[in-house]
Amino acid sequence: METGNKQAMSRRGFFQKVGVTGVAAIATGSALTALPRSASAAVDSIVADKLGAGSVTMAKVNIDTPSSADNGALVRMPVSVDHPMEPGNYIESVVVLVDNNPQPFICQYDFLPEAGKAEFECRIKMAKTSKVRAIAKSNSGKLYGFEKEIQVAAGGCVG
Amino acid sequence: MAVIGKPKVRGPRQAVAKGSVVTMKTLIKHPMESGLRKDSTTGQTIPAHFIESVMVEYGGKTVVNATWTGAISKNPYFSFSIRAADSGPVKVTWKDNKGGEFSAKANLKVS
């Protein structure tokens, strides 16, 4: 009886441990795959190509989507930029990039001040778990960005 | 063949105050083939067929212009904001890489 209890306990303990280390392994694994220097640098160069070179301030931009997606073929991508939209001071462009996609550049949106607010929502495909970036450029050339890791359960290549 | 087209644009049904920022929603049927996918039976690459640009015209100006790739999901939903200035149509035009062009509009009432 006692041994049975002990066994049950240890089995539970075993799964708890495996669960924790398993999750930790996934977390470190994805961190390693999401940030290989070369891929990250390649995405940086795409940003420079689309919006011009410059340092990106991590502020003002937000991607309001959960950090995990069940279906990589359909990931909600609502982006908003908290910045005035007046003639002479507005957000000119926003680009969305997924580091681990075969083609990291997803989409670009160009705005006029008449848009009232630099925000949009679209749905994108993600091949696997990846860092997603939204980079905004103001008419004066300042770059603002936001990045977020999104876990993908099933890849979007089938979509 | 999958259905392509049926573009839709929706905005607020009631009149909105001048100067307010309103959200417009759009939907279109399109396969959005990236050109990277292979047919599982023949093993051949499925040719790319996706919407490349989406243009939003309001008050005689292109207020929002989107550049898309094959990484946008199929039957793409897209929403955006505009500042209500005058009553009139908000026209959205989608263009794909095979020359397909679709457009739809919604009338915005401004009080």
Side-chain angles (χ1 to χ4, degrees), chain A:
Chain A
M1 188 63 186
E2 210 175 282
T3 47
N5 252 342
K6 254 185 191 166
Q7 264 184 350
M9 283 287 279
S10 66
R11 189 187 292 164
R12 187 176 297 161
F14 172 73
F15 280 118
Q16 275 170 349
K17 257 188 188 165
V18 166
V20 169
T21 47
V23 167
I26 290 165
T28 46
S30 64
L32 285 175
T33 49
L35 298 164
R37 255 197 120 73
S38 57
S40 184
V43 176
D44 288 342
S45 74
I46 296 172
V47 173
D49 183 41
K50 301 283 178 192
L51 300 179
S55 65
V56 178
T57 314
M58 287 297 160
K60 294 184 192 283
V61 186
N62 189 32
I63 303 176
D64 183 20
T65 198
S67 53
S68 70
D70 289 341
N71 181 2
L74 201 76
V75 183
R76 281 181 65 234
M77 193 49 54
V79 178
S80 64
V81 187
D82 185 17
H83 190 280
M85 290 295 271
E86 333 167 312
N89 183 24
Y90 63 100
I91 292 294
E92 209 172 66
S93 308
V94 177
V95 294
V96 177
L97 305 121
V98 175
D99 284 28
N100 287 352
N101 263 20
Q103 293 167 341
F105 173 68
I106 308 295
C107 50
Q108 174 169 352
Y109 294 86
D110 301 319
F111 300 96
L112 284 185
E114 283 80 355
K117 186 156 199 248
E119 68 175 354
F120 59 86
E121 177 173 344
C122 57
R123 272 114 210 229
I124 68 167
K125 298 176 199 167
M126 287 179 67
K128 55 186 170 188
T129 296
S130 172
K131 185 160 91 175
V132 177
R133 314 185 197 192
I135 314 285
K137 181 194 175 192
S138 75
N139 63 318
S140 54
K142 286 202 184 87
L143 299 181
Y144 301 102
F146 184 84
E147 53 188 48
K148 180 171 192 165
E149 178 93 4
I150 296 182
Q151 307 274 338
V152 176
C157 295
V158 288

Side-chain angles (χ1 to χ4, degrees), chain B residues 35-101:
Chain B
L36 304 171
R37 211 159 68 93
K38 279 185 179 155
D39 189 310
S40 54
T41 50
T42 62
Q44 291 197 322
T45 307
I46 302 170
H49 188 198
F50 57 86
I51 294 168
E52 286 179 320
S53 83
V54 187
M55 206 164 77
V56 178
E57 289 166 293
Y58 173 62
K61 285 182 177 172
T62 304
V63 177
V64 183
N65 190 29
T67 309
W68 283 359
T69 63
I72 298 289
S73 303
K74 73 173 176 185
N75 302 336
Y77 166 84
F78 167 50
S79 75
F80 56 90
S81 295
I82 50 172
R83 184 179 284 134
D86 295 299
S87 292
V90 178
K91 188 184 176 202
V92 182
T93 309
W94 293 259
K95 285 179 188 164
D96 72 21
N97 66 328
K98 289 188 177 175
E101 194 174 318

Side-chain angles (χ1 to χ4, degrees), chain B residues 12-24:
Chain B
R13 277 184 215 150
Q14 272 132 20
V16 294
K18 194 178 173 95
S20 62
V21 176
V22 298
T23 303
M24 308 290 291

